[in-house]
Amino acid sequence: MLSVVNADGATPNSSLIDEIVREGARRMLAAALGAEGNAYIAELADQRDELGRRLVVRNGFHQPRKVTTSAGTVEVKAPRVNDKRVDEASGERKRFASAILPPWCRKSPKISEVLPLLYLHGLSSGDFVPALEQFLGSSVGLSPATVTRLTTQWQADHTAFQDRDLSATDYVYVWADGVHLRIRLEEAKAAVLVLMGVRADDMKELIAMTDGYRESSEAWAGLLRDCARRGMRAPVLAVGVVALGFWNALNEVFTDTRHQRCWVHKTANVLDALPKSAQPAAKRAIQENYNAEDKEHAARAVRNFECACQAKSPKVVKRVTDDEDELLAFFDFLAEHWVHLRTTNPIKSTFATVRLRTKVTKGAGSRGAALAMVFKLIESAQVRWRAVNAPHLVALVRAGARFERGHLVERPEEAGA
């Protein structure tokens, strides 16, 4: 029932429009529950006992209960159905179970989804009650204890994710990076090791995530071995940062995968070794490398950089020339994919939000909670990840297609003809 409104159009607890929305939601939910119960009874109307009486009939209503929805908290009375049928296999009475409002339900799925997102994006558990009570009209089910239960569930979700079978998924490109966050991992110098990939069916997704000491070869090898054990196939190309134990681990586990060094990290690595006065010119010279028209022009840009800087900064030049093959590997693939393959930005951009959350929480309480929190945030961000350009051509890369200057010139079946 609607409340009496004040002169300003508000009720004692909320505005009139909120009351109208909640009352509408309550009536619609009650109507839906009634229709669901009636449909169940009508479907089984022919089920009768030996005296000809119906075995499935209405039996009043359950006790009222409050349910938190995106429209606020509403009180509903679910219809009760008396089902006298007996299951022949188990010998137990059959029961009517509402698909709209299960017996355990106290919050709509949307509310269950928004709680972890709000928590991960900076709202502390102690702020849930005052903040969401204003929005939903009630604090039922929104206590700090709810968030504690959620973190436990997140850890279980992360464990299930890390144990899932990878044999049916084919990752063509992968990005690897170690991200240092101010969260309570086991070691002071521990990092979150992240592996993302693009599948042959063009979907981009998180492959694996764990913690590792100093981004060491041993830590990365452990992660990659676990992926291989679960059926992961060797990717065609892996993109990673310059100084990373990932490369040694990759050579050990997936020997056929090509390497692509991240140009963002390489640029920072080079500029850090130069005086500030020389950095702008060096940065422009480096950009000419990865923004080149094709691999031939990129190699020429590397020679130009070498000639310009060799006399004054030979060690800096060596940082580029020593890794030239792995810095220019992306040019051997489809031109539409170059922008995705020359850096590890897909990981860096995602972790910008993670850093915001961990900065707010000042630590997540434990290693498991920390990794679970990061995992859930990446999982929520994954649906908004930018798809690769020309996604329908990713499968050709896995098939062994050859590209020159970024264009398809040959398919495997044509080569053998």
Side-chain angles (χ1 to χ4, degrees), residues 9-210:
T11 67
N13 296 319
S14 61
S15 69
L16 176 60
I17 190 171
D18 291 331
E19 288 287 342
I20 293 173
V21 169
R22 276 194 284 272
E23 177 64 15
R26 185 193 67 76
R27 293 181 181 181
M28 291 178 66
L29 181 57
L33 291 172
E36 183 186 35
N38 291 337
Y40 183 83
I41 294 170
E43 184 180 353
L44 300 171
D46 61 335
Q47 301 287 312
R48 298 176 181 268
D49 61 14
E50 61 275 6
L51 299 178
R53 293 175 296 194
R54 287 187 177 186
L55 292 175
V56 184
V57 295
R58 284 288 295 270
N59 188 24
F61 293 88
H62 290 285
Q63 290 294 320
R65 68 170 130 151
K66 293 183 178 180
V67 180
T68 303
T69 72
S70 55
T73 299
V74 298
E75 186 175 272
V76 296
K77 292 173 64 177
R80 179 182 291 158
V81 176
N82 185 11
D83 193 338
K84 301 176 183 178
R85 296 176 301 151
V86 177
D87 187 286
E88 296 181 359
S90 64
E92 298 181 354
R93 283 273 298 270
K94 295 186 177 182
R95 295 180 181 275
F96 165 69
S98 173
I100 299 173
L101 188 67
W104 47 264
C105 182
R106 294 296 183 273
K107 297 189 299 291
S108 76
K110 283 295 182 184
I111 296 298
S112 297
E113 290 175 11
V114 80
L115 290 180
L117 288 177
L118 290 176
Y119 177 68
L120 291 170
H121 283 285
L123 189 67
S124 66
S125 57
D127 293 332
F128 268 71
V129 173
L132 294 185
E133 187 172 16
Q134 294 298 317
F135 177 67
L136 299 174
S138 172
S139 61
V140 176
L142 303 176
S143 66
T146 301
V147 179
T148 301
R149 289 194 296 271
L150 282 172
T151 56
T152 301
Q153 180 60 49
W154 297 345
Q155 292 182 57
D157 292 344
H158 180 225
T159 300
F161 173 81
Q162 290 292 89
D163 292 337
R164 77 194 191 287
D165 180 36
L166 297 176
S167 60
T169 308
D170 184 12
Y171 297 103
V172 178
Y173 302 131
V174 299
W175 293 268
D177 203 353
V179 184
H180 295 266
L181 301 170
R182 294 180 180 178
I183 53 179
R184 300 174 186 175
L185 300 178
E186 290 181 342
E187 301 284 351
K189 296 185 181 297
V192 178
L193 307 183
V194 184
L195 195 66
M196 289 169 49
V198 172
R199 303 186 328 210
D201 61 2
D202 74 47
M203 292 294 293
K204 185 189 294 183
E205 66 183 19
L206 179 68
I207 301 173
M209 190 203 77
T210 188

Side-chain angles (χ1 to χ4, degrees), residues 227-245:
C227 290
R229 176 187 60 80
R230 290 185 283 130
M232 178 177 169
R233 184 180 177 185
V236 177
L237 180 72
V239 187
V241 303
V242 177
L244 192 67

Side-chain angles (χ1 to χ4, degrees), residues 241-303:
V241 303
V242 177
L244 192 67
F246 172 72
W247 302 117
N248 292 333
L250 187 68
N251 287 332
E252 175 189 334
V253 181
F254 296 124
T255 57
D256 295 333
T257 300
R258 293 191 60 185
H259 300 187
Q260 170 62 50
R261 301 296 181 105
C262 173
W263 271 103
V264 170
H265 289 82
K266 175 60 73 174
T267 301
N269 180 259
V270 170
L271 297 183
D272 284 345
L274 291 171
K276 288 187 177 180
S277 60
Q279 289 182 7
K283 185 175 182 179
R284 288 193 296 270
I286 291 173
Q287 289 173 338
E288 291 180 5
N289 297 322
Y290 60 79
N291 287 329
E293 180 181 344
D294 51 41
K295 192 170 187 177
E296 180 181 344
H297 286 82
R300 193 177 305 158
V302 172
R303 302 286 78 78

Side-chain angles (χ1 to χ4, degrees), residues 298-362:
R300 193 177 305 158
V302 172
R303 302 286 78 78
N304 293 338
F305 175 76
E306 184 177 10
C307 292
C309 300
Q310 181 66 35
K312 292 184 177 180
S313 307
K315 292 184 179 179
V316 172
V317 171
K318 191 175 177 61
R319 295 186 181 189
V320 175
T321 56
D322 283 357
D323 296 328
E324 181 177 348
D325 290 342
E326 295 179 344
L327 285 168
L328 304 183
F330 73 94
F331 282 109
D332 294 332
F333 295 86
L334 192 68
E336 287 86 345
H337 296 170
W338 290 355
V339 67
H340 307 289
L341 302 179
R342 60 196 182 201
T343 73
T344 56
N345 278 348
I347 294 178
K348 291 299 185 186
S349 58
T350 297
F351 270 84
T353 308
V354 177
R355 282 195 171 91
L356 172 63
R357 175 58 204 162
T358 54
K359 183 178 181 181
V360 171
T361 57
K362 307 298 184 183

